């Protein structure tokens, strides 16, 4: 077989720009076609495209055919589910999502937490029986848009991906955590992170591109670095925790992972990763991400401190950070969320860049026209 001409090979690597509004409309119709109510289908499309808009491509439409459509097709996600409030104490509530699509269910729950915080100064909604919710930051940012501080955490249900430091068995998920708050105009503070060095999606994106990952991301059964991302899905590599090694503070990432498990699963009653069943098998990643738990917290400082200039204090805080002199000219100091907001504005204007293979996948689903 001869190699493709240089121009063809280059074309296969060149991203295809897709209009955000066009893709959002198509995704909304797709979700609605699976039986999800129209307003919730739009919300799910918002949540999914947040990843593509902000540059977290591993959590955007890359996951549509790999994760969300199989969840709906298998019945593990119920498109007609109606979350049920099990406990309501005013400022806080416990909700059973009944396998609703996490993309919209987590957003609705955060909106509920925001409404509670507007009355009480703080609002907590603890969710069990949930499915994957996409980017944690999308849901935390809903509180920031309401002028509040948002905290979101999610465990991975019964799925185990990472091993405890020094342990031989995978026992915890990537357990994402996000904090959001109003900051400078149009640029909210938005921290969105897995408690492992990288989420599984980034590893799979690298594998699809045929690119190695940094040595800090993965390790083999003996704890040695692995740079082949495909080794993860072959069961030959484990994700490392933030910190990576004992000397670099791996206990911090591991501890954050446990904290998320407590907040998201123990509080809500969702499936817990480090359960006796985790000790069975060959130690490699196992289990399934069913019965996920969410922790959604909204804090309204202006309700807790009536009359205080909270907005002014926030602007001062983030303004001081961005005024910090940079080490290198042309590389200004910015806080988490700044560049994501810039990228989102650019992609709304100019289009979302999709890898050709992903564009073709979406075209095959009828979401986009085929490439000429």
């Amino acid at each position: 077989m001869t190699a493709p001409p240089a121009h063809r090979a280059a074309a296969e690597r060149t991203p295809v720009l897709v209009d955000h509004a066009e893709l959002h409309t198509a995704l909304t119709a797709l979700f609605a076609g699976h039986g999800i109510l129209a307003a919730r289908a739009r919300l799910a499309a918002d949540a999914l495209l947040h990843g593509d808009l902000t540059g977290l491509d591993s959590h955007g439409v890359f996951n549509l055919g790999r994760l969300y459509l199989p969840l709906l097709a298998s019945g593990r996600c119920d498109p007609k589910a109606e979350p049920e409030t099990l406990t309501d104490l005013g400022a806080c509530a416990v909700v059973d999502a009944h396998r609703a699509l996490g993309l919209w269910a987590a957003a609705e729950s955060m909106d509920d937490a925001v409404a509670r915080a507007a009355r009480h100064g703080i609002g907590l909604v603890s969710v069990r029986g949930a499915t994957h919710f996409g980017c944690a930051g999308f849901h935390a940012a809903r509180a920031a848009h309401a002028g509040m501080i948002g905290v979101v955490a999610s465990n991975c249900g019964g799925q185990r991906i990472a091993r405890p430091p020094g342990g031989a068995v995978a026992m915890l998920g990537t357990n994402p955590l996000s904090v959001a708050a109003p900051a400078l105009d149009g640029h909210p503070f938005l921290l969105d992170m897995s408690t492992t060095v990288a989420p599984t999606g980034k590893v799979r994106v690298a594998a699809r591109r045929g690119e190695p990952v940094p040595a800090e991301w993965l390790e083999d059964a003996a704890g040695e670095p692995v740079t082949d991302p495909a080794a993860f899905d072959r069961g030959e590599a484990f994700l490392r925790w933030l910190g990576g090694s004992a000397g670099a503070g791996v206990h911090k990432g591991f501890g954050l992972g446990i904290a998320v498990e407590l907040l998201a699963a123990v509080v809500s009653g969702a499936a817990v990763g480090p359960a006796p069943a985790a000790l069975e098998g060959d130690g490699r990643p196992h289990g399934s991400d069913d019965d996920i738990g969410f922790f959604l917290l909204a804090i309204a400082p202006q309700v807790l401190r009536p009359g205080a200039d909270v907005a002014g204090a926030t602007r001062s805080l983030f303004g001081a950070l961005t005024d910090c002199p940079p080490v290198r000219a042309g590389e200004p100091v910015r806080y988490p969320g700044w560049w994501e907001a810039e990228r989102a504005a650019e992609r709304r204007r100019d289009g979302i860049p999709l890898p050709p293979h992903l564009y073709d996948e979406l075209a095959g689903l009828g979401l986009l026209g085929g490439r000429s």
Side-chain angles (χ1 to χ4, degrees):
M1 180 180 293
T2 59
H7 68 275
R8 181 181 170 191
E12 289 304 313
R13 294 191 300 269
T14 303
V16 183
L17 286 179
V18 177
D19 181 72
H20 168 260
E22 175 189 348
L23 188 51
H24 186 276
T25 298
L27 284 170
T28 299
L30 178 69
F31 287 133
H34 279 80
I36 297 173
L37 294 175
R40 287 171 169 172
R42 286 192 294 272
L43 189 52
D46 287 341
L48 190 59
L49 285 176
H50 171 86
D52 300 290
L53 283 172
T54 59
L56 298 173
D57 303 335
S58 62
H59 282 59
V61 291
F62 173 78
N63 275 338
L64 181 64
R66 188 190 67 81
L67 175 60
Y68 297 108
L69 293 184
L71 276 175
L72 289 163
S74 67
R76 291 171 58 206
C77 173
D78 180 1
K80 299 183 182 298
E82 191 62 47
E84 176 187 4
T85 300
L86 304 176
T87 303
D88 190 335
L89 300 177
C92 53
V94 176
V95 173
D96 190 330
H98 291 307
R99 294 183 290 112
L101 184 64
L103 291 168
W104 66 258
E108 282 195 1
S109 293
M110 176 50 91
D111 292 347
D112 184 13
V114 166
R116 293 170 186 275
R119 297 192 299 271
H120 303 286
I122 190 167
L124 168 64
V125 178
S126 181
V127 182
R128 69 183 186 226
T131 62
H132 196 282
F133 66 8
C135 295
F138 172 79
H139 308 292
R142 297 179 79 79
H145 296 325
M148 301 181 188
I149 298 169
V151 182
V152 172
S154 171
N155 83 330
C156 292
Q159 187 177 43
R160 294 103 186 184
I161 299 171
R163 306 182 298 181
V169 176
M171 301 191 74
L172 286 135
T174 54
N175 290 13
L177 174 68
S178 179
V179 181
L184 302 183
D185 291 345
H187 297 78
F189 168 74
L190 183 55
L191 173 68
D192 187 351
M193 53 177 269
S194 62
T195 50
T196 49
V197 172
T200 57
K202 284 194 173 182
V203 175
R204 290 182 172 123
V205 166
R208 183 62 183 79
R209 293 173 176 168
E211 299 172 351
V213 295
E216 295 82 8
W217 284 22
L218 299 171
E219 65 184 22
D220 63 17
E224 296 300 317
V226 174
T227 58
D228 175 11
F232 177 76
D233 276 332
R234 292 198 304 264
E236 299 169 0
F238 299 85
L239 280 173
R240 288 178 159 175
W241 296 101
L242 282 173
S245 65
V250 69
H251 62 285
K252 297 178 182 178
F254 177 51
L256 283 172
I258 295 173
V260 169
E261 201 77 41
L262 289 167
L263 294 172
V266 174
V267 173
S268 69
V272 176
L279 302 175
E280 300 171 0
D282 59 7
R284 294 187 294 183
H286 60 296
S288 63
D289 55 345
D290 294 300
D291 192 12
I292 292 174
F294 301 155
F295 174 89
L296 304 119
L297 176 68
I299 304 168
Q302 66 274 23
V303 176
L304 296 172
R305 295 199 296 134
D309 184 11
V310 176
T314 303
R315 285 193 298 270
S316 175
L317 185 162
F318 289 101
L321 287 173
T322 57
D323 286 342
C324 178
V327 171
R328 284 179 283 274
E331 297 182 15
V333 174
R334 294 293 183 259
Y335 52 83
W338 176 280
W339 295 118
E340 289 84 350
E342 291 282 297
R343 192 174 296 115
E346 175 186 311
R347 292 185 174 187
R348 285 182 187 276
R349 183 187 66 241
D350 301 333
I352 295 173
L354 296 179
H357 73 86
L358 183 53
Y359 184 99
D360 292 341
E361 180 183 315
L362 298 181
L365 292 170
L367 298 176
L368 301 169
R371 290 186 293 153
S372 58

